[in-house]
Amino acid sequence: MSKAMRIIFAVSMILMCWFSVAGASAFRVGDQGSDVAEIQGQLANLGYDVTADGAYGPATVEAVKSFQMTQGINADGLVGPSTYAALLGKSMPAVSSTTNSIARRVVSDSMNYLGVPYVFGGTTPNGFDCSGYVRYVFANAGVYLPRTADAQYEVGYSVSTSELVPGDLVFFSTYEPGPSHVGIYLGDGDFINASSSQGVSVASLYSSYWGSCYIGARRVM
């Protein structure tokens, strides 16, 4: 299974778990902050391939699942009380159900359209172009963006690569100078976008192609 397919599978499974774990608080995809960075730091100390950037993305899901399997814990990729205690040796702090709720919804909804084909000018699940896809996903979360990538680049405020969190917009200069392509950051260096070659798919910000044309990121939430 390719890295992209593993990412898609892992994120899809963890998003399903958001709504199936009744009454349980847990750290999960889309969460951000120092608590997440602490979890990631301990995973990294144990040899797992994850960076303590404070953004709970696909690579963190994979690391958590691997750790859970070594501990005989259900490998769901969520850091709930039992996983937190096994990993950090202390009780888990309260996780606010409202923290990052919009970012969570954006990340969750973005995965619902994996495989939708690219259509130039497309703005619906029948076919998307890059900015049409981003606009559609954010509108579903109640955040309304301009139609084109260059106009979306003017919304919100700039964030550095080291400050990226799930739900940020990442921009690229592709077929013309300036921000001509946009995607949604998932965490762990991965983003989801509607590309002309693959439709809605997950890619790495640090791949040779995307890394070479990356121009910046904006936070709109």
Side-chain angles (χ1 to χ4, degrees), residues 8 21-22 24 33 42 63 91 101 108 126 128 150 159 165 174 182 191 197 200 202:
I8 291 168
V21 184
Q42 182 60 12
S91 298
S101 60
S108 174
N126 293 322
F128 288 116
D150 58 344
V159 291
V165 297
T174 53
V182 60
F191 69 99
S197 60
V200 178
V202 175

Side-chain angles (χ1 to χ4, degrees), residues 2-218:
S2 68
K3 179 177 183 287
M5 289 301 296
R6 290 198 302 272
I7 291 169
I8 291 168
F9 177 78
V11 175
S12 298
M13 291 301 293
I14 197 66
L15 292 174
M16 288 172 61
C17 290
W18 282 13
F19 305 104
S20 63
V21 184
S25 293
F27 294 101
R28 62 196 75 196
V29 169
D31 282 347
Q32 309 148 19
S34 59
D35 288 326
V36 172
E38 184 179 18
I39 290 167
Q40 294 169 319
Q42 182 60 12
L43 288 166
N45 289 340
L46 294 173
Y48 295 99
D49 185 16
V50 64
T51 302
D53 60 3
Y56 203 125
T60 303
V61 172
E62 289 293 297
V64 169
K65 289 171 69 175
S66 296
F67 172 77
Q68 289 171 323
M69 286 188 283
T70 70
Q71 301 295 309
I73 300 170
N74 180 37
D76 58 9
L78 298 167
V79 178
S82 59
T83 299
Y84 190 92
L87 181 63
L88 294 168
K90 59 183 179 181
S91 298
M92 191 177 83
V95 182
S96 170
S97 61
T98 60
T99 299
N100 308 316
S101 60
I102 297 178
R104 284 185 181 183
R105 182 169 180 181
V106 165
V107 171
S108 174
D109 193 50
S110 73
M111 302 300 293
N112 291 334
Y113 308 103
L114 284 165
V116 170
Y118 179 89
V119 173
F120 183 77
T123 60
T124 75
N126 293 322
F128 288 116
D129 65 14
C130 66
S131 56
Y133 168 65
V134 167
R135 187 172 188 266
Y136 186 90
V137 170
F138 273 76
N140 284 347
V143 179
Y144 298 96
L145 298 174
R147 172 63 184 89
T148 62
D150 58 344
Q152 291 172 2
Y153 193 65
E154 301 300 320
V155 177
Y157 59 93
S158 176
V159 291
S160 68
T161 305
S162 63
E163 297 172 322
L164 282 170
V165 297
D168 285 343
L169 299 183
V170 287
F171 292 87
F172 308 86
S173 179
T174 53
Y175 63 90
E176 63 181 15
S180 54
H181 188 77
V182 60
I184 301 169
Y185 188 66
L186 298 175
D188 299 317
D190 295 311
F191 69 99
I192 189 167
N193 71 131
S195 73
S196 58
S197 60
Q198 296 184 312
V200 178
S201 55
V202 175
S204 172
L205 195 63
Y206 306 115
S207 68
S208 57
Y209 175 73
W210 293 113
S212 67
C213 56
Y214 176 70
I215 60 171
R218 307 287 293 184

